[in-house]
Amino acid sequence: MKLYDLKTGTSTRRVRIFLAEKGLKLPTVEVDMLKGENKDPDYLAKNPMGTMPLLELDDGTQLAESVAICRYVEELHPEPPLFGKSPIERALVEMWNRRMELELLIPIMDHFVHSSAFYEERLTQLAAAGICAHKIGCTGSMTNWPSGPL
């Protein structure tokens, strides 16, 4: 297995923390977004979305998305159990995982993407999206942001 990584990424950090909690080390390949390596045809052939992390299995299968990678690793290395052992433990882990993504991670990512110089030339930034979500009465992704002037 080989992990395609982005040192500054939140999703890649989630996988690295998960692996550390499991006591596992995987060979990694650092993908440099600043140089556009994630848009290189060779990388896009592995992951058409051009995102990290990406776990490449020995048989050539590619798994993208941090939670999918963590669940795969959990199946291979069930101890210590990080997704819970019983149905209620697994449901509670999933509940807190979703809350963390929707209420914490997405607003932070929205703020970074729409206020960082890194993304100025990569996408159309929306000034309102750079405002801390709770200050304008929003939670989660921008799909439920209020309309009209802020």
Side-chain angles (χ1 to χ4, degrees), residues 5-140:
D5 197 7
L6 174 67
K7 291 290 183 208
T8 58
T10 54
S11 296
T12 53
R13 182 167 292 149
R14 172 189 265 182
V15 171
R16 289 193 310 272
I17 291 169
F18 190 88
L19 292 171
E21 289 294 324
K22 290 284 188 182
L24 301 171
K25 286 194 175 245
L26 294 179
T28 61
V29 175
E30 179 72 18
V31 179
D32 190 336
M33 280 184 67
L34 288 174
K35 292 181 180 174
E37 291 176 358
N38 60 312
K39 300 296 182 185
D40 182 89
D42 289 338
Y43 188 76
L44 290 174
K46 296 175 185 301
N47 182 3
M49 294 188 69
T51 58
M52 284 71 63
L54 176 70
L55 182 65
E56 187 172 52
L57 307 182
D58 293 337
D59 69 358
T61 302
Q62 288 101 16
L63 294 174
E65 305 303 330
S66 59
V67 175
I69 292 168
C70 292
R71 286 190 185 280
Y72 178 75
V73 170
E74 177 88 350
E75 291 294 322
L76 294 179
H77 304 277
E79 295 298 328
L82 300 180
F83 279 104
K85 283 188 169 184
S86 69
I88 190 64
E89 286 177 355
R90 287 190 293 274
L92 286 168
V93 168
E94 186 63 23
M95 176 187 76
W96 284 108
N97 189 39
R98 294 295 293 154
R99 285 181 175 176
M100 181 276 307
E101 288 175 340
L102 295 173
E103 302 298 327
L104 182 65
L105 183 61
I106 290 174
I108 289 170
M109 288 173 56
D110 283 345
H111 173 76
F112 178 74
V113 165
H114 292 281
S115 63
S116 169
F118 177 79
Y119 283 100
E120 279 179 349
E121 309 251 339
R122 291 175 167 79
L123 56 81
T124 301
Q125 292 179 313
L126 304 173
I131 299 170
C132 185
H134 75 274
K135 289 188 177 182
I136 59 173
C138 304
T139 59

